[in-house]
Amino acid sequence: MIGINSETKKEKIIHERWQKSKFEWTPENTKRIIDVINGIDVKVNQMYDAVLKTKNFLDAQNVPYAIKKDYDIVADLTFERFEDGIPTADSKTLEMIYDATPWKAMPGVRATSDRMPSRSNALYLDLNWNIELFDRPELAQVKIPYYIHMLFVDSHTYTLNDMLYMEPSDFSIGMNVSFCGDEL
């Protein structure tokens, strides 16, 4: 008999939890969802600004050429509040959800010594994803970025109920700067 591996079991638990989640579109919940989406958007823009600021610093005249000749800056955003849990999931479940979430769907910003993408190209390709769960009259004037749609719809990990307890400050910006130029 072949047993179910732990990854498959985790995915099944997460998927079942997501499917059983019942979200009620009350005016209060709708406002909260909009506030969280807008707050995450602010955090995403802070990530872009951090990469731009780092690139500007590295491109400055006072940085040695050997450093600024060939560098790579990569930043990403992840939800980091799983130690204490939230009312919709305990910390163990949130860790399983975190591990199963396709974080590559979240916007990342990559700059090199040669280029920096525009804000719209880095963050907002295919901006309006008001489809499926977000296809609601209350959200008609709210632009749903692709990464929000992926995080709360396509990934089948986090639920709209989870979003009610998320804060934009729960999302962490990770940034890595690597230098590939001549030895210093």
Side-chain angles (χ1 to χ4, degrees):
M1 178 175 162
I2 299 175
I4 298 176
N5 71 32
S6 67
E7 287 304 309
T8 304
K9 188 175 181 181
K10 282 182 191 178
E11 289 172 10
K12 184 178 178 190
I13 290 168
I14 292 165
H15 186 72
E16 286 175 357
R17 176 186 173 277
W18 193 85
Q19 292 225 325
K20 290 178 185 175
S21 174
K22 301 290 184 219
F23 179 79
E24 190 175 340
W25 285 98
T26 66
E28 296 81 19
N29 286 352
T30 301
K31 181 183 179 330
R32 177 72 183 142
I33 294 295
I34 292 168
D35 289 347
V36 171
I37 289 169
N38 290 336
I40 293 171
D41 188 54
V42 167
K43 192 79 167 194
V44 165
N45 277 281
Q46 289 172 346
M47 175 181 62
Y48 183 90
D49 292 341
V51 171
L52 182 59
K53 185 175 182 178
T54 303
K55 179 171 178 42
N56 288 341
F57 172 78
L58 292 173
D59 290 345
Q61 296 300 323
N62 59 348
V63 175
Y65 179 75
I67 291 176
K68 67 182 179 181
K69 177 182 170 193
D70 192 14
Y71 62 82
D72 195 40
I73 308 166
V74 179
D76 57 16
L77 191 71
T78 54
F79 178 68
E80 296 290 338
R81 184 178 151 205
F82 50 85
E83 308 86 22
D84 302 326
I86 55 178
T88 57
D90 60 29
S91 60
K92 184 177 178 184
T93 303
L94 281 177
E95 283 188 49
M96 283 192 296
I97 293 168
Y98 182 88
D99 289 342
T101 300
W103 291 106
K104 63 185 178 293
M106 292 297 284
V109 179
R110 179 170 184 242
T112 65
S113 50
D114 298 330
R115 66 182 282 291
M116 172 81 185
S118 70
R119 189 176 301 269
S120 62
N121 284 342
L123 306 179
Y124 298 115
L125 293 178
D126 299 321
L127 176 65
N128 202 359
W129 283 76
N130 294 57
I131 60 173
E132 298 175 44
L133 292 178
F134 296 113
D135 184 13
R136 306 206 37 94
E138 308 97 300
L139 301 177
Q141 300 304 313
V142 178
K143 301 259 189 231
I144 306 296
Y146 173 69
Y147 57 87
I148 294 291
H149 176 80
M150 280 296 298
L151 198 57
F152 295 97
V153 180
D154 285 351
S155 69
H156 295 266
T157 52
Y158 296 99
T159 68
L160 292 177
N161 285 326
D162 295 333
M163 193 189 293
L164 295 175
Y165 301 99
M166 292 178 171
E167 296 294 335
S169 60
D170 297 333
F171 286 81
S172 294
I173 297 170
M175 187 164 59
N176 184 8
V177 181
S178 56
F179 301 98
C180 309
D182 298 335
E183 285 192 28
L184 301 175

